[in-house]
Amino acid sequence: MITDSLVRQGSWFFRWRSYVLLGFAPMILLTISQPEPVETYFGPWADELYEAFCIAIAFAGLGIRALAAGFIPGGTSGRNTRRQIAESLNTTGMYSVTRNPLYLGNAVTIMGVTMFTQSLSLSLVMFLFLIVYLERIIAAEERFLTEKFGETYLAWARKVPAFFPRLSSWKRPELPFSFRTVLKREHSSMLSILASLFVLDQAREYLTEAQPGLDGAWIAFLAAGFLVYAALVWMKKRTLLLHVDGR
């Protein structure tokens, strides 16, 4: 059955989702080895404005993830990769407007980072890939949740869009928002965005400039992010500062 094939592929993508996008490295390298089109045609001010726009999109995706993560209970929507895990079904908050808010956040972030390369062709390829990629992962998760929660899941799925949110269906979360839970769960995502943008910007500088050099602002940007990340990892592993009961 085609649906079975989608589920098998989705399970594979789910397990290796932290590495799948590395397959785009050759295309990205080819793209950033060319001068920046926005700066070439519109000037440095337009280039800086465009980069700021892409950075805002990337962090908007993180914001979507944070809004979902801040309300969910423990044992659900984790960073597990080997198999699906769900002790309960999330149906409120962001999960009342879309069944897959974390994947929506990921997609927005990935598109923001991809657009940062200033390549229309790469952005289009990435957009089409995300449709195929996320469709299969979501199919695998739906199979798992249907088998685990049965009609409860199906009744919720009939009312809530699979991906693109319907804001009018917002349902107040059962738990209060926990900023500590967001810091505990999303610090890796934050550093990944900063590191990706830094590498893209500095790699293009090295490949296209006659006298390449490290950008002080970007170094400070990344260093600040790494210090925050290191502090949060230490608090998560060594203290209870980020611990919230039931999360």
Side-chain angles (χ1 to χ4, degrees):
M1 299 290 290
I2 291 179
T3 53
D4 294 330
S5 178
L6 291 177
V7 168
R8 286 195 300 271
Q9 294 170 29
S11 297
W12 186 90
F13 277 132
F14 179 84
R15 181 172 182 177
W16 300 104
R17 66 188 188 277
S18 299
Y19 309 99
V20 167
L21 295 180
L22 294 177
F24 284 89
M27 189 173 182
I28 292 173
L29 184 62
L30 179 62
T31 296
I32 62 175
S33 64
Q34 307 298 319
E36 295 173 301
V38 175
E39 182 174 4
T40 300
Y41 293 106
F42 302 103
W45 67 271
D47 181 66
E48 293 180 0
L49 186 63
Y50 177 80
E51 288 186 350
F53 173 70
C54 294
I55 293 171
I57 292 178
F59 278 96
L62 180 61
I64 294 173
R65 286 187 58 92
L67 190 57
F71 288 112
I72 57 179
T76 61
S77 301
R79 291 184 175 274
N80 46 295
T81 57
R82 298 190 66 86
R83 61 188 179 88
Q84 304 281 356
I85 296 176
E87 296 177 4
S88 60
L89 187 63
N90 297 318
T91 60
T92 61
M94 284 298 293
Y95 287 88
S96 64
V97 299
T98 171
R99 301 203 300 271
N100 296 278
L102 296 181
Y103 291 140
L104 173 62
N106 288 348
V108 172
T109 291
I110 291 169
M111 288 307 303
V113 173
T114 304
M115 290 166 57
F116 190 81
T117 66
Q118 300 190 20
S119 170
L120 179 60
S121 58
L122 177 59
S123 298
L124 179 59
V125 169
M126 182 63 75
F127 178 77
L128 296 175
F129 171 75
L130 287 175
I131 293 175
V132 174
Y133 169 67
L134 292 175
E135 179 185 48
R136 281 151 177 76
I137 290 183
I138 291 172
E141 293 198 353
E142 287 183 340
R143 172 72 62 84
F144 167 76
L145 293 171
T146 300
E147 293 174 352
K148 187 175 181 72
F149 297 106
E151 183 55 35
T152 301
Y153 171 77
L154 295 175
W156 168 67
R158 283 192 287 266
K159 296 185 296 183
V160 179
F163 192 74
F164 294 105
R166 185 172 60 234
L167 300 181
S168 62
S169 63
W170 172 268
K171 183 178 179 182
R172 185 176 179 179
E174 298 175 357
L175 296 174
F177 184 82
S178 172
F179 187 65
R180 285 187 292 168
T181 299
V182 173
L183 294 177
K184 181 179 180 180
R185 294 173 65 105
E186 297 302 322
H187 57 279
S188 296
S189 298
M190 178 271 297
L191 185 62
S192 295
I193 294 172
L194 292 176
S196 298
L197 295 171
F198 175 83
V199 169
L200 289 175
D201 184 82
Q202 295 302 287
R204 169 167 264 152
E205 178 84 10
Y206 179 80
L207 292 171
T208 61
E209 297 294 330
Q211 293 181 326
L214 293 176
D215 188 314
W218 274 104
I219 292 176
F221 194 39
L222 182 63
F226 182 79
L227 289 175
V228 171
Y229 171 82
L232 291 174
V233 169
W234 181 82
M235 285 189 285
K236 178 180 178 179
K237 293 185 177 182
R238 301 292 183 179
T239 75
L240 296 177
L241 294 174
L242 300 181
H243 175 74
V244 180
D245 290 338
R247 306 297 183 100

